[in-house]
Amino acid sequence: MTPTTRQECAALDAADPLAPMREQFVLPEGVIYLDGNSLGALPRTAPARVADLVEREWGQGLVRSWNDAGWWDKPRTLGAAIAPLVGAGTDEVVVGDGTSANLFKTVVAALRMSERDVVLGEAGNFPTDLYVTEGAAGLTGATQRRVDPDGPELAAELARGDVAVLLLSHVDYRTGVLRDMAGTTRLAHEHGALVVWDLCHSAGAVPVDLSGSGADFAVGCTYKYLNAGPGAPAFLYAARRHHARADQPLSGWHGHARPFDFAPGYEPAPGVSRFLSGSQPLVADAALEASLEVWSGADLEQVRTKSLALTDLFLSRAAEAGLGSLTPSEHDRRGSQVSLVEPEEGAGYAIVQALIARGVIGDFRAPDVMRFGFTPLYLSYTEVFDAGQALVEVVREGEWRQERFRARSQVT
Amino acid sequence: MTPTTRQECAALDAADPLAPMREQFVLPEGVIYLDGNSLGALPRTAPARVADLVEREWGQGLVRSWNDAGWWDKPRTLGAAIAPLVGAGTDEVVVGDGTSANLFKTVVAALRMSERDVVLGEAGNFPTDLYVTEGAAGLTGATQRRVDPDGPELAAELARGDVAVLLLSHVDYRTGVLRDMAGTTRLAHEHGALVVWDLCHSAGAVPVDLSGSGADFAVGCTYKYLNAGPGAPAFLYAARRHHARADQPLSGWHGHARPFDFAPGYEPAPGVSRFLSGSQPLVADAALEASLEVWSGADLEQVRTKSLALTDLFLSRAAEAGLGSLTPSEHDRRGSQVSLVEPEEGAGYAIVQALIARGVIGDFRAPDVMRFGFTPLYLSYTEVFDAGQALVEVVREGEWRQERFRARSQVT
């Protein structure tokens, strides 16, 4: 039962098995942070871990730390720590580069494994997925088509029999819709297509089972629900069965089979390391390491249960405020995000600004979406109740109509 | 006159205008660090700058810092701070991704600007340059040829009239040979080729004049002579005259003309921003910011003068030790590195290990090169004299023949 009073929320907090995790994060006073789907909060141990890397490993160890501090293997050791969060084998994930570069590598690698030349994407995907596909298609001569992956056209497009690669986001960044990874992957495979999953809005937010779903490739960022810091390095998954054949085009020296031979020709490493390119930013990796340490103590079932309860709660308050929702009411189709709309021109942006002025941080995505992310590791039921109360007041009392909330200046 | 006694070196230190810069770096006790060409030393202000980004900008500012702390513009503001170090306009450089990805972007962009399809590289270039060229050629259908850029074949290869892009390292990572950027660029242009310069071993080490040389594109890392920390983000230069036409394939959303429109189609930003892909690791950028602040107070002429004096000094001690040098004696052909060889099998590796045991850190590059980098901002004449003395002793007394120095275990 979704709670309807603050008192009920306080009781849920008292019984919440994840409540102690909150102590592992730093959050500013007076803020209810509903934007962990854009940039996750700071893990309490991250400053010390980063400082240790900077002052001891770099400052004192200098170049010796490439061996002594395990820097050379970070892409693999961090990948192995992410693996259980996405249902992958520890030898199937590497950390490095950004989401855009990793999308490029996986889409091109998948295209090269197929006789076909169509990349099927989703019409409303996050822009970088669309743009990178455009870039990869431009280079390889592939054709890109786009489809609404939540409608019947997806099956029809796949049935045309010319799709080499299907690229989908597991959770839609605008609406928070969660896709059926196993069912969609099976359908694609039945029609002879490989699948690349973008986990940017699902890793750390919902259960992800890449192995169980038979996924081919996946990429994801670490700075949203995984809390690794602004622009932190991304991860890349390649199913073990594809390692020997996968041929990615950003063939830098870290992906070489014997990088310290300094051989004149490229020979890809045997495993997932072949997806690496060059040296990675170790200072940023240190924050990711701290965050993954927190995640190693999280029960993912508990995370999902609480995520659904928090989003149920906020959806009920949004309905009370009279706002429309793009986020499904069905649990099995919902990520860890609530996306709301208010049809009046400019309302969405202004409502988000008015909430921020009250210390409730969400974000706005053009043209009209108010996005609120729910991170079970550091949000309480009471906070979400209070955020819902703020939403009801801002909307019902027309607070957002004030001129100061309507001026557009932000970039993000 | 190259000094021959420690006393003369102490006198040079006392008169050295760059000596106060040493205080701006942290170096471990008992170490003479001759590997700044691989990983530069820690700037004294970097820990505090990184901690401020982590604890205040991320921890307290959270997602708001994308605007309030200037995160969104870091690729451009950091690029503008690097520009004067490489003779570029402040609107011609961006920071982001790694060297390998940036090589890929510039080589493909240059290929697309040409009717021709040959990428001419250098036979002994750093492996990632060779491997990325191989990857780019594989995708675009271009042909790669390689040449010794320090011999007469370079002119002959260009004269064949089929070269679209010439990719050269400004300073050779193995030998420390400095190439004539202006003359080579002119020659390439006369033969209808564009030039991509790899500045990994020259930025911060030798004068670089991209604009004055007429260079087309350049890339470089920031973690060697620029002291930005292990794996720190790379930079990319594109001459202003090419901005409107340059079409790079890693077309992520940060390179879009209006990224926050979330438009379905890619439209490149008008300036050098079109070379950006996705979000960058801000925690790592903070260390770069601290380092560039130090560089903003450095006189590049003084850096070059001292670099040549230090390498002269070390070369004279190496000759005394009876070692061969791959590094030219002519000043105008020398970077800020000395590369030595000792023909006996396994000697190079063991000599470097024996020096490390004495606190003199250089590195070894297969098959037989001992590399020593000289960073005028934090090395003194006395230190280089002492390092040379250690070299003389290790070699003359056969100290390196001890079994403990001969075992190969390091990765870097």
Side-chain angles (χ1 to χ4, degrees), chain A residues 34-354:
Chain A
L34 305 184
D35 216 357
N37 54 324
S38 181
L39 175 67
L42 172 65
R44 194 167 292 281
T45 56
R49 176 69 196 100
V50 171
D52 184 58
L53 187 133
V54 170
E55 296 177 39
R56 188 178 57 84
E57 296 185 12
W58 172 18
Q60 298 297 312
L62 289 163
V63 73
R64 298 169 290 198
S65 290
W66 277 103
N67 304 300
D68 301 349
W71 287 355
W72 183 261
D73 280 323
K74 284 291 174 211
R76 285 168 287 274
T77 53
L78 293 171
I82 287 174
L85 304 176
V86 294
T90 53
D91 61 335
E92 295 179 306
V93 182
V94 280
V95 163
D97 297 332
T99 306
S100 297
N102 287 337
L103 281 168
F104 184 82
K105 294 179 209 170
T106 49
V107 166
V108 173
L111 275 168
R112 285 173 164 172
M113 292 171 64
S114 174
E115 302 286 301
R116 306 174 180 176
D117 69 352
V118 171
V119 185
L120 184 61
E122 53 178 288
N125 210 344
F126 187 77
T128 228
D129 298 70
L130 304 176
Y131 304 159
V132 168
T133 301
E134 198 175 319
L139 258 186
T140 58
T143 301
Q144 58 164 342
R145 292 204 306 263
R146 293 175 187 172
V147 69
D148 172 3
D150 305 313
E153 314 93 90
L154 177 61
E157 282 290 331
L158 288 167
R160 289 169 66 176
D162 59 355
V163 176
V165 190
L166 174 64
L167 166 60
L168 291 182
S169 279
H170 189 202
V171 171
D172 185 299
Y173 85 103
R174 283 181 69 250
T175 62
V177 168
L178 171 67
R179 277 79 188 235
D180 172 8
M181 182 181 281
T184 307
T185 301
R186 197 181 318 114
L187 184 69
H189 287 176
E190 282 166 11
H191 290 292
L194 294 163
V195 189
V196 177
W197 286 99
D198 181 337
L199 307 179
C200 282
H201 293 85
S202 57
V206 299
V208 181
D209 186 5
L210 289 167
S211 296
S213 301
D216 299 292
F217 300 100
V219 304
C221 75
T222 63
Y223 48 77
K224 298 177 187 284
Y225 294 98
L226 294 180
N227 313 304
F235 66 89
L236 183 154
Y237 161 87
R240 201 176 294 119
R241 65 185 179 279
H242 295 322
H243 289 180
R245 280 179 63 207
D247 177 19
Q248 68 94 358
L250 281 183
S251 45
W253 73 300
H254 280 245
H256 196 279
R258 290 172 306 281
F260 290 96
D261 279 5
F262 297 92
Y266 184 69
E267 183 191 328
V272 70
S273 293
R274 64 176 52 195
F275 280 92
L276 298 176
S277 56
S279 297
Q280 291 302 314
L282 275 302
V283 180
D285 277 353
L288 173 58
E289 198 163 13
S291 168
L292 292 175
E293 183 67 28
V294 175
W295 274 104
S296 73
D299 179 321
L300 299 179
E301 290 256 0
Q302 289 174 353
V303 168
R304 177 59 171 167
T305 302
K306 185 174 170 187
S307 159
L308 289 169
L310 294 178
T311 48
D312 276 344
L313 172 57
F314 197 72
L315 280 166
S316 76
R317 303 307 311 263
E320 206 179 320
L323 295 171
S325 170
L326 300 176
T327 302
S329 56
E330 308 97 293
H331 282 181
D332 63 354
R333 294 190 57 232
R334 190 194 303 162
S336 198
Q337 169 190 329
V338 169
S339 294
L340 304 174
V341 286
E342 155 56 54
E344 190 177 323
E345 173 83 22
Y349 178 82
I351 291 169
V352 168
Q353 295 309 309

Side-chain angles (χ1 to χ4, degrees), chain A residues 40 58 67 128 131 253 260 263 411, chain B residues 40 58 67 128 131 253 260 263 411:
Chain A
W58 172 18
N67 304 300
T128 228
Y131 304 159
W253 73 300
F260 290 96
V411 291
Chain B
W58 173 17
N67 304 301
T128 228
Y131 304 159
W253 72 301
F260 289 96
V411 292

